[in-house]
Amino acid sequence: MRIAAGLSLVVLGSGAVGHAVMTGLDTGIQRVDPFRDMKNRPEAGHGLNFLLVGTDGREKITPDEKREYRLGGAPCHCTDTVMLVHLSADRERASVISLPRDSYAQVPAHRDLVTGKDHKTHPMKLNAAYAEGGPGLTVRTVEHMTRVKIDHYLEVDFTSFMKTVDAVGGVEICTAKTMRDPNTGLDLLPGTHRLSGGQALQYVRSRHVDGASDLGRMQRQQRFVAALIKQATSGGVLLNPVKFKQVSSTLLGSVRADEGFGSEQMLALGQAMRDFTPTSSEFASVPIGDPSFPVKGIGSTVKWDATKAAQLFEAVRNDRPLAPARPGRPAGRPAAVPVDVPPQQVRVQVENGTRIDGLGGRVDAALRATGFDTTRAPGNGASREVKRTLITYDPRWDRSAKSVSTALPGSELRAVAGQGRTVLVTAGADYRKVVPVRAEDPYQGRFAVVTGDQVVCGS
């Protein structure tokens, strides 16, 4: 196995052989020229910037796929997803920034591709720029809003997305709660799931899983990209020339890209990502100032926080990490289990239900170490003969109680009306340890950035 891995590295690392492996892939790429006649563009920064857009290309879906994955209706010819991807100059970090599709945008003057009418600068939602002016207007609008120069443009539709996911062998997703969306057909129970291309499309398209709507969907899309990077870097895709060519040909044969992106760039990306780990990727969404900014004739839009957004994109231009520095996980410490309610938001009182001296204090300290807001004042329970650790909670805070029970596997949950927001843990004789937990969407830092290792399974 070591010899095979070494030979694979040599094959992909060798320019001549690597190019031979990738020969012919350029012929299947659909080309667009989003940079034609563009003037007054931002200055190039450090690193490489991609604009990745997902389009509503359901006209290519088969009737059976439309029924299975709930893809009925007419295509909108707009961008369903917009992401700015920055690859650092040292090729050791990828920063992915989600741009809400309903973002308030001032599009530059342009000619309408449908009507041929010349438009002056005017407001619209970001995703509508594609329908009115295609990839060119989309790139110009994003550059105008971010002041980040786009180096490459990649456009993925529903079909190419599903094919690429299937080519890498599916993607593993974890969820701490049931996820159902009748609009897309998504139906996932809590736990770990390996999604095929069609299932993955349901996952990234769902907007009605919770009350977060499109902003919640962006979080799931970011988790999916993190899981896709993990699959590609740890599943042998980048170390196996045959597998790498298969995935590359699937991707390049089913996307639209600018003239400058082809097999050579794909090979360079593969070589750059060879040493990637989940910590190499970081994910952010543009800071929001007003999630429901009304615009006459357009409706409700998402208005960016101008100051924070400017700081975010300045960091991209200067090739700086977006996520704050943080200590790594201590050696030997088990992976944290994702929970629905962040432990920092759960108030916990611990009581000792046994005759074991100091047990309440140990449980309090262990729960506090994994993030729970304990009272730091453990007491003795009414009974000192408790066999099984008991968690009592007010039914109004049942989700918080489930986060605590995840940290105390095997414990008993018991609802007590009127108890209030504090969850009571009575440590029993069965107590052995606290399992580390983390928020499913652990935002941190001024740009609300998460790194890939925080959102993939087993992290």
Side-chain angles (χ1 to χ4, degrees):
M1 288 180 64
R2 287 194 297 270
I3 293 173
L7 288 174
S8 296
L9 284 170
V10 170
V11 169
L12 283 182
S14 166
V17 179
H19 284 288
V21 169
M22 303 294 284
T23 296
L25 295 189
D26 288 351
T27 57
I29 305 177
Q30 297 182 53
R31 295 296 183 182
V32 294
D33 187 4
F35 308 119
R36 184 176 59 187
D37 300 328
M38 288 186 65
K39 301 176 181 178
N40 302 317
R41 301 186 66 191
E43 291 185 9
H46 303 284
L48 206 59
N49 300 311
F50 296 81
L51 186 63
L52 175 63
V53 304
T55 60
D56 183 0
R58 66 187 74 196
E59 69 273 7
K60 300 179 183 178
I61 303 295
T62 67
D64 288 342
E65 289 173 330
K66 285 185 177 180
R67 283 191 297 270
E68 185 174 359
Y69 304 120
R70 311 284 177 89
L71 294 169
C76 70
H77 301 291
C78 58
T79 49
D80 208 43
T81 299
V82 184
M83 289 181 173
L84 178 62
V85 182
H86 174 78
L87 186 64
S88 63
D90 59 13
R91 301 301 189 259
E92 293 183 359
R93 183 185 71 258
S95 305
V96 182
I97 304 172
S98 295
L99 311 181
R101 65 177 192 171
D102 291 336
S103 295
Y104 172 83
Q106 284 282 346
V107 298
H110 63 280
R111 175 166 293 177
D112 194 308
L113 291 181
V114 178
T115 65
K117 179 182 177 181
D118 288 327
H119 292 288
K120 296 181 180 179
T121 299
H122 65 280
M124 65 164 50
K125 293 181 180 181
L126 176 59
N127 71 329
Y130 185 91
E132 199 165 286
L137 185 60
T138 301
V139 170
R140 290 177 63 197
T141 302
V142 170
E143 286 193 346
H144 176 73
M145 297 172 74
T146 65
R147 304 311 303 162
V148 172
K149 186 176 182 180
I150 304 300
D151 299 298
H152 291 293
Y153 173 88
L154 292 175
E155 182 181 307
V156 181
D157 62 20
F158 290 167
T159 303
S160 56
F161 176 84
M162 291 192 291
K163 286 181 178 178
T164 301
V165 173
D166 286 334
V168 299
V171 172
E172 193 175 69
I173 290 293
C174 300
T175 176
K177 58 188 176 184
T178 298
M179 302 181 72
R180 289 194 176 97
D181 186 342
N183 288 20
T184 64
L186 179 71
D187 189 357
L188 297 179
L189 294 174
T192 301
H193 309 269
R194 180 163 291 275
L195 305 184
S196 66
Q199 295 169 321
L201 183 61
Q202 291 175 315
Y203 180 82
V204 300
R205 289 185 62 236
S206 291
R207 303 178 67 203
H208 304 284
V209 172
D210 48 38
S213 189
D214 201 46
L215 299 181
R217 185 177 70 157
M218 287 195 304
Q219 295 170 8
R220 288 185 288 278
Q221 290 172 348
Q222 291 173 351
R223 284 203 296 270
F224 182 85
V225 172
L228 182 61
I229 291 174
K230 180 183 179 182
Q231 173 69 13
T233 55
S234 64
V237 173
L238 301 180
L239 298 180
N240 185 325
V242 176
K243 186 70 173 177
F244 183 71
K245 182 173 183 178
Q246 178 189 353
V247 173
S248 299
S249 62
T250 300
L251 176 63
L252 295 178
S254 55
V255 303
R256 296 213 301 168
D258 64 89
E259 294 286 347
F261 187 84
S263 58
E264 183 176 341
Q265 287 70 33
M266 199 72 185
L267 181 61
L269 277 177
Q271 291 172 330
M273 292 180 64
R274 242 177 10 208
D275 297 323
F276 262 36
T277 66
T279 57
S280 303
S281 57
E282 54 184 10
F283 300 84
S285 297
V286 177
I288 304 301
D290 187 347
S292 301
F293 181 68
V295 180
K296 185 178 180 180
I298 298 177
S300 179
T301 67
V302 176
K303 189 74 175 292
W304 296 359
D305 182 311
T307 301
K308 291 182 179 179
Q311 294 170 343
L312 173 68
F313 295 119
E314 181 184 14
V316 172
R317 288 192 297 273
N318 292 325
D319 200 24
R320 296 198 304 265
L322 306 181
R326 59 187 175 87
R329 189 171 76 205
R333 183 175 179 180
V337 179
V339 292
D340 187 14
V341 178
Q344 292 81 4
Q345 297 178 12
V346 183
R347 184 69 168 170
V348 179
Q349 170 65 47
V350 177
E351 291 186 353
N352 186 354
T354 74
R355 299 185 184 279
I356 303 173
D357 290 340
L359 179 61
R362 294 202 299 275
V363 175
D364 181 283
L367 287 171
R368 188 166 65 251
T370 197
F372 288 100
D373 179 23
T374 67
T375 63
R376 301 177 183 240
N380 291 322
S383 170
R384 306 300 296 276
E385 305 296 333
V386 177
K387 303 296 184 185
R388 182 183 178 189
T389 299
L390 177 65
I391 300 173
T392 58
Y393 64 95
D394 191 308
R396 294 175 296 173
W397 282 273
D398 61 323
R399 291 167 57 237
S400 295
K402 289 177 182 176
S403 291
V404 179
S405 68
T406 300
L408 293 166
S411 57
E412 177 186 351
L413 280 167
R414 184 180 299 171
V416 177
Q419 179 172 299
R421 69 178 291 262
T422 300
V423 176
L424 175 62
V425 173
T426 303
D430 66 333
Y431 171 78
R432 294 294 179 269
K433 64 178 181 179
V434 166
V435 173
V437 298
R438 61 170 173 82
E440 189 169 29
D441 295 305
Y443 289 116
Q444 61 169 308
R446 59 176 176 162
F447 299 137
V449 180
V450 294
T451 50
D453 62 308
Q454 294 176 292
V455 292
V456 295
C457 301
S459 58

